[in-house]
Amino acid sequence: MMKSHIVSFCATVALATVISAQNVSASPQDYEFQLVQDALPLAQDTIISVRLMHKPTGKPVGDAVIFATRLDMAPDGMPTMMADLEALPSEETGIYRYRTTLGMEGSWRLSLAAKVQGEKDTVQSRLVLKAKN
Ligand SMILES: [Cu+2]
């Protein structure tokens, strides 16, 4: 009887250790940017919307500070062809919006770097969207 108590106690401690280790190792890989629409019209004043998700909980992250963005045509071999991005106010938790002008049909790469509350490492992402007439 005594022996089985010890075994189950050890198993509980081991499980608790695993759980706390997972908490400590929360990392940028826990977050994911997603394009709300991956095809957009070739037009002025196109709005690009991206959603930032916390993957372990499946919840959108509304308090991230996105401090670097770049939109270019690197996927089509034109990394120096860039479009300006103007950050717009968020209208929905976890959705970040940018106004741009997509002046050429093809694939555009959106690069993002973000700081998330309570996360010391930067979350970085590169998303590819299509501009179509
Ligand atoms: Cu181009």
Side-chain angles (χ1 to χ4, degrees), residues 32-111:
E32 182 176 79
F33 278 102
Q34 303 165 345
L35 287 166
V36 174
Q37 295 160 292
D38 58 10
L40 289 164
L42 198 63
Q44 283 197 331
D45 290 344
T46 299
I47 309 291
I48 299 175
S49 298
V50 294
R51 184 187 294 110
L52 179 58
M53 296 293 292
H54 181 236
K55 291 193 279 181
T57 58
K59 291 200 168 134
V61 180
D63 51 4
V65 178
I66 298 169
F67 61 88
T69 58
R70 179 186 162 105
L71 184 61
D72 61 51
M73 287 198 80
D76 279 358
M78 291 173 274
T80 58
M81 182 170 177
M82 295 181 0
D84 288 337
L85 288 163
E86 179 196 348
L88 300 175
S90 182
E91 292 179 337
E92 195 182 325
T93 301
I95 306 278
Y96 301 84
R97 301 185 311 138
Y98 298 90
R99 192 199 326 267
T100 189
T101 296
L102 298 171
M104 185 177 182
E105 259 189 288
S107 297
W108 291 80
R109 177 182 67 185
L110 176 63
S111 305

